[in-house]
Amino acid sequence: QIPKDPTQRWLRELTALSQQLQQVHPNVLAKILKQRTVYQNEEIVVIDKPYGLPVHGGPGIKNCIADVLPILAKMLENMKADPLHLCHRLDKETTGVMVLARSKEAADKIRLLFKTRQVEKIYWAIVLGDPDPVEGVVEIPIVEKEVQSHQSHYKMTLAPNYRLCPEDGKVMKIRKNRNAESAVTRYRRLASASACSLLELQPITGVKHQIRVHLAYGLGCPILGDHKYSHWSKLAPQKLPELTLRRLKLEQSKARHLPLHLHAHRLCLPLGQPLDFVCKPPLFFQKTLRKLELDIPKD
């Protein structure tokens, strides 16, 4: 049954695409990734990661990038090529620049660059609301916690080092959570309209779900389509402002189909000379920008 409404049709197509990537033969998946190769040299291969494709396997995951690295290497080079290596990870729903290495040595070198924070990563995200201030740095440690609700589940959350004293409202330091990882994210607003904003983000650290947690819980501006981090205790679709729903021509009851609007836009890798890679946001992201009347900055 094909919905008449173009927005719903478009969201349905995106969900179907995500499911299709799980059903195709690994050779077909490798071919898709080959078509999405944006750069290669003797050390690295850079791809534009599609939406809805996990990097690693897990329960219920039939296809992932890690599994097709041997096939992709052969398609890009020759039948004798060694499998490619992962150097970093992107969430299943995140799109954009992803670096693979041709050898273990190259992979180790690049992982070290990531670890020692020498790789500059720029993301774009469409978020609900408007961050205040419009640019700044979120520096709040992050920890994984179990959420007690009718369906217990795990989430990353903030573990701040400070809180306001209830008596006099002064800022006081609190005991550090032993398990928390320090997390730093730079952000600046590029555009705002329709109760949403387009933000440019630079994660300085690389904690799991860092950008999503810092935006949702630190700035109170969850990423559009981030149903996991728009609430704390319940597993429910994101609640969207009236204006946003109107511009997207979407009913709140269908909001659960909205994809996560987080895109790895640019990556600068200091390998000998600095290598700079840019991937345009995927079509669904560009469509949302147009519908919300958010102007893409001209690079």
Side-chain angles (χ1 to χ4, degrees):
Q1 188 190 344
I2 296 173
K4 286 190 180 69
D5 175 32
T7 303
Q8 276 170 257
R9 204 163 56 229
W10 159 64
L11 291 175
R12 188 74 62 84
E13 278 165 20
L14 203 66
T15 314
L17 196 73
S18 203
Q19 287 162 351
Q20 252 168 348
L21 288 173
Q22 282 305 303
Q23 266 121 38
V24 297
H25 190 277
N27 286 359
V28 177
L29 184 58
K31 202 169 173 183
I32 293 169
L33 296 181
K34 183 189 174 188
Q35 286 161 352
R36 299 178 73 101
T37 299
V38 291
Y39 174 86
Q40 51 178 323
N41 66 14
E42 59 288 341
E43 279 196 298
I44 60 169
V45 171
V46 180
I47 59 168
D48 179 0
K49 180 190 167 298
Y51 175 83
L53 179 64
V55 173
H56 295 283
I61 291 173
K62 190 166 163 285
N63 272 338
C64 65
I65 292 177
D67 288 351
V68 298
L69 293 178
I71 310 168
L72 181 59
K74 289 180 169 57
M75 283 183 179
L76 288 170
E77 209 173 335
N78 59 44
M79 290 315 282
K80 292 195 181 73
D82 292 331
L84 291 160
H85 299 258
L86 293 169
C87 302
H88 61 122
R89 49 165 299 158
L90 291 175
D91 288 350
K92 175 184 164 187
E93 290 88 5
T94 307
T95 54
V97 188
M98 190 168 175
V99 182
L100 306 166
R102 288 197 191 269
S103 66
K104 191 183 175 309
E105 297 74 53
D108 289 342
K109 189 159 69 174
I110 293 162
R111 282 184 204 127
L112 188 63
L113 291 173
F114 272 99
K115 205 174 165 185
T116 51
R117 302 178 191 172
Q118 293 181 63
V119 180
E120 190 186 343
K121 298 169 287 187
I122 301 287
Y123 286 76
W124 279 4
I126 300 175
V127 302
L128 300 183
D130 213 358
D132 181 19
V134 293
E135 70 176 272
V137 177
V138 182
E139 187 172 349
I140 309 172
I142 289 177
V143 70
E144 189 159 24
K145 274 196 178 159
E146 186 174 3
V147 182
Q148 301 294 343
S149 69
H150 63 289
Q151 252 177 309
S152 272
H153 57 289
Y154 282 89
K155 260 185 194 170
M156 307 304 283
T157 188
L158 301 176
N161 293 332
Y162 299 90
R163 71 182 179 89
L164 294 178
C165 173
E167 286 79 48
D168 55 10
K170 283 200 175 112
V171 174
M172 52 189 267
K173 202 162 171 47
I174 51 180
R175 208 173 77 217
K176 209 170 164 230
N177 184 319
R178 274 205 321 274
N179 303 320
E181 293 184 71
S182 63
V184 185
T185 310
R186 267 198 197 118
Y187 72 92
R188 84 187 166 101
R189 188 184 71 186
L190 299 175
S192 79
S194 318
C196 290
S197 305
L198 172 65
L199 302 188
E200 179 186 83
L201 303 145
Q202 187 183 0
I204 309 298
T205 51
V207 180
K208 180 181 169 187
H209 296 173
Q210 172 180 320
I211 292 177
R212 296 165 65 178
V213 173
H214 271 174
L215 291 181
Y217 302 150
L219 284 173
C221 294
I223 297 176
L224 183 67
D226 194 347
H227 308 289
K228 180 167 183 158
Y229 288 108
S230 291
H231 324 271
W232 169 245
S233 59
K234 55 181 193 246
L235 290 164
Q238 189 174 49
K239 184 107 179 66
L240 299 178
E242 273 304 313
L243 178 58
T244 311
L245 288 168
R246 250 201 333 274
R247 290 272 163 86
L248 290 174
K249 295 189 169 62
L250 196 62
E251 296 158 40
Q252 178 57 48
S253 62
K254 300 283 186 283
R256 66 179 183 280
H257 298 303
L258 258 185
L260 181 77
H261 285 70
L262 178 61
H263 173 68
H265 177 59
R266 200 176 141 221
L267 194 137
C268 191
L269 202 58
L271 272 182
Q273 83 276 33
L275 296 170
D276 212 348
F277 309 109
V278 175
C279 285
K280 271 200 336 220
L283 226 46
F284 78 84
F285 198 109
Q286 294 178 41
K287 266 188 187 170
T288 302
L289 287 172
R290 277 200 302 276
K291 287 182 175 185
L292 296 175
E293 296 173 11
L294 287 164
D295 296 324
I296 290 199
K298 299 282 174 275
D299 282 348

